[in-house]
Amino acid sequence: MARARDVLVRHRAPDGARDDDAQSRTVLDKAAHENFPVAPFFLPRAWRRDLMAVYGFARLVDDIGDGDLAPGGGDALRLGLDPAADGADRLALLDALEADLHRVFSDRAPGPLHPLMRRLGPTVRRCGLTPEPFLGLIEANRQDQRTGRYATYGDLLAYCELSANPVGRLVLGITGTASPERIRRSDAVCTGLQIVEHLQDVAEDLRRDRVYLPGEDMKRFGVTERDLAAPTGSAPVRALIAYEAERARALLNEGTPLVGSVHGRLKLLLAGFVAGGRAALRAVAAADHDVLPGPPKPTKLSLLREVRATLRRKG
């Protein structure tokens, strides 16, 4: 990304192109603040480039769904909408993004409108990616606009199938390592990581009028949404979080053999994903499963320990 900035300095682009590139950088710069490394330095340059292109798409989808787009209506305009739509009609923005995604996969003119979608095109062609994972991420964010509650654990897993599992499938597609068994293991890891994130962000999600704790489990532990809005977790809330954490741990364990099925730098990347989930669960446990004051975060040392442990595991 620094190199791209240098090119922009050396070669003056039209104002619109400079604005588009700045808009892309704003989204891509968020990668540095994610819980897990998006495209770590040790990966081959081609993989890093393609992972960042996919990240740009995923970040844009989430920013639309969460109402976190940059102010000013620039993204709406780039998607062919009235800038007044920016943040006002998230479903319209998601529909426009889906239309732009279809342009990425089409050979017909005009090409994609949004700069992040134009960046995605070469990755799609180079890696032979299909539309389905991208469409799943868009549909997950549509679902967030329509519902913020999940009655059963099965309902939550169905949501994770759209919101999380496509990411792992795209990583396998970019690295050329996809197989039915690896996809199955990857889905388990990604769903586990999504549940971990939900547990860390209970308070923040509630402020967005979303609850990702299954309603049947809340009822079983005697937890209400009013309890989730408290400054600290009651004993029933902490018991519920511990219960869901064990489910997430089981999913990570189910997916761990994925790490041993690959080699080299990809093995280290996948170990980092699994270890990140395990370290986060340790942080939640260390907080006595009280996630309401704020998301418990693992230390770098605990993450490194989990990476080593994951690499040593046979399955």
Side-chain angles (χ1 to χ4, degrees):
M1 289 168 63
R3 184 169 299 168
R5 292 191 183 102
D6 290 342
V7 170
L8 285 172
V9 171
R10 294 193 191 105
H11 304 286
R12 288 183 61 83
D15 289 344
R18 289 202 304 273
D19 290 346
D20 281 354
D21 192 77
Q23 192 82 9
S24 297
R25 288 203 310 269
T26 298
V27 173
L28 295 175
D29 284 347
K30 293 181 180 180
H33 304 289
E34 295 292 343
N35 285 336
F36 307 104
V38 174
F41 70 92
F42 57 79
L43 292 181
R45 180 178 299 177
W47 285 5
R48 282 186 282 137
R49 175 191 58 213
D50 292 330
L51 287 169
M52 286 301 292
V54 167
Y55 171 81
F57 169 84
R59 183 71 267 167
L60 179 59
V61 177
D62 283 350
D63 283 350
I64 291 174
D66 291 339
D68 289 339
L69 291 175
D75 287 294
L77 186 62
R78 286 168 176 83
L79 290 171
L81 296 177
D82 186 323
D86 213 11
D89 189 343
R90 298 177 192 177
L91 287 172
L93 284 161
L94 291 169
D95 288 346
L97 184 63
E98 181 173 327
D100 216 29
L101 176 66
H102 289 303
R103 295 185 192 101
V104 171
F105 285 90
S106 174
D107 294 329
R108 299 169 59 183
L113 304 177
H114 198 286
L116 288 169
M117 305 302 281
R118 292 197 294 271
R119 182 188 291 262
L120 183 63
T123 290
V124 163
R125 292 186 289 274
R126 186 164 44 244
C127 302
L129 303 179
T130 63
E132 286 73 21
F134 300 101
L135 291 170
L137 294 174
I138 292 174
E139 188 57 35
N141 277 272
R142 282 201 186 99
Q143 189 164 315
D144 278 334
Q145 310 314 308
R146 295 169 176 148
T147 180
R149 308 293 186 274
Y150 294 87
T152 69
Y153 183 60
D155 293 338
L156 184 65
L157 292 181
Y159 171 76
C160 292
E161 175 69 21
L162 297 172
S163 67
N165 297 358
V167 176
R169 296 183 183 200
L170 287 168
V171 170
L172 294 177
I174 286 171
T175 57
T177 54
S179 71
E181 179 63 10
R182 284 177 179 149
I183 288 172
R184 185 178 75 81
R185 299 289 188 181
S186 171
D187 286 352
V189 170
C190 290
T191 293
L193 291 175
Q194 180 78 88
I195 292 175
V196 172
E197 184 177 347
H198 288 161
L199 297 181
Q200 290 176 300
D201 295 339
V202 168
E204 178 184 345
D205 289 335
L206 186 61
R207 287 192 291 270
R208 295 181 185 271
D209 195 27
R210 298 173 187 169
V211 177
Y212 295 105
L213 299 168
E216 62 184 5
D217 296 341
M218 291 178 63
K219 182 176 180 180
R220 173 183 172 186
F221 284 88
V223 172
T224 67
E225 290 189 22
R226 188 171 183 175
D227 296 323
L228 300 181
T232 59
S234 62
V237 169
R238 287 184 280 111
L240 171 60
I241 297 300
Y243 178 74
E244 304 299 347
E246 283 307 308
R247 282 177 154 171
R249 192 184 315 280
L251 285 164
L252 292 175
N253 289 342
E254 180 183 344
T256 295
L258 173 67
V259 177
S261 76
V262 299
H263 304 281
R265 287 175 280 188
L266 178 59
K267 186 185 186 80
L268 184 57
L269 176 68
L270 298 182
F273 290 153
V274 173
R278 288 195 172 124
L281 287 174
R282 283 189 180 274
V284 169
D288 197 20
H289 299 96
D290 187 4
V291 297
L292 299 188
K297 297 290 187 180
T299 65
K300 289 183 179 180
L301 180 59
S302 67
L303 177 58
L304 288 173
R305 286 172 175 165
E306 289 293 344
V307 169
R308 287 197 294 268
T310 300
L311 290 171
R312 289 197 300 265
R313 285 173 68 103
K314 299 296 184 181

